[in-house]
Amino acid sequence: MKWRVMAEVTGEDGAVTRHVISEGERTEVGQAATLGLSLAEGKATLSGLQRVLVTAQADTHCRRRRQCSHCGALRPLKDHRTRTLVSLFGTVEVRAPRFGPCHCGVACRRSLTPVAEMMPDRCTPEYERVLAEMGSALPYRRARALLADLLPLDTAPDVETIRRRTLQVGARLERAALVPPDEGSPAPAQAITLAIDAGHVKSVRTYQMRSFEVMIARAAKDEGQEVVFGSMPAEADRQVKQLHHVLRRLGATASTPVTILSDGAEGPRSLAGAASCGPVRHVLDWFHLSMRVQHVAQAVKGWTAAEPAAAERTVPLADAVSRVRWRLWHGQTERALGLIGDTLTDLDALLDTADDRQVRKVATLLRALEIYVVGQANLIIDYAAARGRGDPISTATTESTVQRLLHRRMGANQQMRWSPRGAHRMLKVRTAVMNGTFAADHAAAEPYAGRPFRPAA
């Protein structure tokens, strides 16, 4: 059995041209391995079809641009060159004629290269977008190998090409994020919950710190729609304004109440408060508060394991820690602080009759819990009642977002070190991919590409 794939192109003048794209032969048709096209044949077919279409479109555009828009005469031909276009379906080399200025001298007074207008970056926007998306999801070498296996590229892009284009797209997304959203695009939200937390990325050795902080926020409105925001404060361009636009696109107005969940640190709280549009209510995240209590409970359990004979002293202590957790869960801050103070007094009395190391460890953690609760007392709410109402009380979803955005691609387990600028631009791409808006955001950021060729006159 023989087969042939042909393309028929009809020009503007009605002329029809036919091109043979690919052809093949099957001698054995009763085997699964010979059913349909193989990967190599599919690549060759797509590459041939892309070559025919790009060549036909380039010729049509050149004929249109050669005619002067003022007098209708044809511009004189200056010379012929070639230009290469890299796409997802292969590399195409087309003829690129240059035309001199028209003799009327009105419409254009410089040489004109129509093919350069079509291919300012010598690649298609889709090729750049896919490279950036793959480079943000996988290490650059793995992304290169995957693209080479699946796409009909003549030569797989270099690792440096994938890295450079990914970070260039991230820089464009950063500039596009400063553009205010269209008025009236989303419906006004009844309420918005903004959970914000910080993650850490290991820095390059030339940076002044071992790691740097990255802000991760997850905003959700009453209908359940969620948007993720990520930024590195030292590299962000007007970070507050960017987060403000994210809330605006989610439906925030001047009257929309915003509940901000955080671990109580001043940085995330101030960023979220400054970016909010309406009235703000700060709530201490139950996850971080509960983990502080859990550290004390673990220390008491470790004391019991180290000294089985001290069980008669640790059992009341463990019961006191459990009651502290219960009081904090129900928002009884004063009662919890009173119980912590009584427990610390009992621990001080045990210093002369028990192992100083174990007692001091529990006392240190309990005193740190007391300081934390005192500092965040105005942010602690009745978590039990809030959970009964269905209100958010934890940034656990934001913790998972930190894991997905940072640790899976940029974490220490990847054995990678990042510069603050590179990490910030990579985070912009990963955030857009996670929100499912990368294609639209990439198209909206095209005006900030800084292409090397000016628009044609």
Side-chain angles (χ1 to χ4, degrees):
M1 184 182 70
K2 296 182 179 181
W3 54 268
R4 177 182 297 173
V5 178
M6 301 187 65
E8 184 178 280
V9 180
T10 304
E12 293 181 333
D13 55 355
V16 178
T17 57
R18 294 179 177 85
H19 305 269
V20 177
I21 302 300
S22 62
E23 53 187 351
E25 182 179 359
R26 291 286 185 273
T27 57
E28 298 179 359
V29 295
Q31 299 180 3
T34 59
L35 291 177
L37 294 175
S38 65
L39 181 60
E41 291 168 342
K43 289 182 178 182
T45 301
L46 289 174
S47 179
L49 181 60
Q50 181 80 336
R51 182 177 61 255
V52 169
L53 291 179
V54 170
T55 302
Q57 289 175 313
D59 291 342
T60 301
H61 183 67
C62 288
R63 285 195 297 270
R64 288 179 180 177
R65 294 294 291 137
R66 186 175 186 181
Q67 186 175 10
C68 179
S69 59
H70 179 71
C71 65
L74 296 180
R75 293 185 173 91
L77 178 64
K78 190 172 184 179
D79 58 21
H80 276 288
R81 297 184 178 184
T82 59
R83 195 171 182 87
T84 302
L85 174 71
V86 182
S87 70
L88 292 175
F89 303 108
T91 302
V92 182
E93 187 175 279
V94 297
R95 289 166 54 88
R98 289 199 304 164
F99 304 122
C102 182
H103 297 297
C104 69
V106 176
C108 181
R109 301 188 180 184
R110 58 183 176 84
S111 298
L112 186 65
T113 309
V115 175
E117 300 170 357
M118 300 176 62
M119 312 172 186
D121 203 20
R122 301 178 188 268
C123 74
T124 61
E126 187 180 33
Y127 173 84
E128 182 181 55
R129 176 173 58 81
V130 171
L131 253 62
E133 186 172 359
M134 295 294 293
S136 69
L138 299 171
Y140 299 128
R141 293 186 184 278
R142 292 179 59 187
R144 179 182 185 273
L146 186 61
L147 290 170
D149 287 342
L150 298 181
L151 296 178
L153 301 172
D154 298 338
T155 56
D158 294 335
V159 172
E160 177 61 21
T161 299
I162 301 177
R163 186 197 69 83
R164 177 171 50 82
R165 290 198 178 275
T166 302
L167 300 186
Q168 285 177 351
V169 170
R172 271 183 262 158
L173 295 179
E174 171 83 357
R175 295 189 60 185
L178 298 173
V179 179
D182 297 334
E183 294 294 336
S185 50
Q190 299 297 323
I192 288 181
T193 301
L194 180 62
I196 186 167
D197 201 359
H200 290 83
V201 176
K202 185 180 292 187
S203 65
V204 293
R205 300 185 185 279
T206 55
Y207 195 58
Q208 63 266 30
M209 300 177 65
R210 293 183 60 185
S211 63
F212 47 85
E213 189 178 58
V214 177
M215 293 293 182
I216 303 294
R218 194 180 188 103
K221 63 179 182 180
D222 41 7
E223 291 86 358
Q225 181 184 354
E226 292 185 341
V227 177
V228 174
F229 172 79
S231 178
M232 218 284 282
E235 291 293 332
D237 185 3
R238 287 164 282 183
Q239 182 178 227
V240 174
K241 187 175 181 180
Q242 291 187 35
L243 183 55
H244 176 76
H245 290 166
V246 169
L247 297 178
R248 287 274 306 279
R249 292 185 180 95
L250 201 59
T253 62
S255 59
T256 304
V258 180
T259 301
I260 299 175
L261 289 166
S262 66
D263 60 354
E266 184 62 28
R269 283 181 57 195
S270 59
L271 170 61
S276 300
C277 309
V280 172
R281 174 177 175 245
H282 289 277
V283 175
L284 181 64
D285 166 44
W286 170 250
F287 173 78
H288 288 87
L289 181 58
S290 178
M291 288 305 298
R292 297 271 182 159
V293 182
Q294 183 66 20
H295 292 162
V296 181
Q298 291 291 343
V300 175
K301 188 182 295 185
W303 184 3
T304 305
E307 297 183 48
E312 59 182 12
R313 293 190 295 267
T314 58
V315 169
L317 184 58
D319 180 65
V321 174
S322 178
R323 284 185 288 137
V324 168
R325 185 195 299 272
W326 187 91
R327 293 179 182 183
L328 291 175
W329 172 251
H330 289 274
Q332 302 173 8
T333 308
E334 295 297 331
R335 293 187 62 201
L337 288 174
L339 183 55
I340 292 174
D342 295 341
T343 307
L344 284 172
T345 302
D346 296 340
L347 287 174
D348 291 338
L350 290 175
L351 286 175
D352 298 331
T353 59
D355 184 4
D356 288 354
R357 185 175 60 85
Q358 298 293 339
V359 176
R360 292 184 187 280
K361 179 179 180 181
V362 176
T364 300
L365 291 173
L366 195 59
R367 191 166 284 109
L369 173 63
E370 181 184 33
I371 295 173
Y372 185 73
V373 173
V374 170
Q376 312 295 337
N378 58 335
L379 305 181
I380 297 176
I381 63 171
D382 188 343
Y383 297 99
R387 184 170 184 177
R389 296 190 301 267
D391 297 339
I393 60 173
S394 174
T395 60
T397 56
T398 309
E399 294 287 339
S400 66
T401 303
V402 172
Q403 176 71 21
R404 290 183 61 187
L405 283 180
L406 297 184
H407 298 164
R408 290 188 183 181
R409 178 66 176 88
M410 306 160 66
N413 57 348
Q414 298 286 346
Q415 301 299 321
M416 295 180 182
R417 292 179 177 270
W418 295 80
S419 66
R421 180 168 297 179
H424 179 69
R425 294 180 176 180
M426 172 65 72
L427 187 62
K428 284 298 178 183
V429 179
R430 288 182 61 80
T431 301
V433 173
M434 187 173 180
N435 286 330
T437 61
F438 182 51
D441 293 345
H442 181 264
E446 177 62 25
Y448 307 103
R451 302 299 184 191
F453 293 93
R454 296 177 297 174

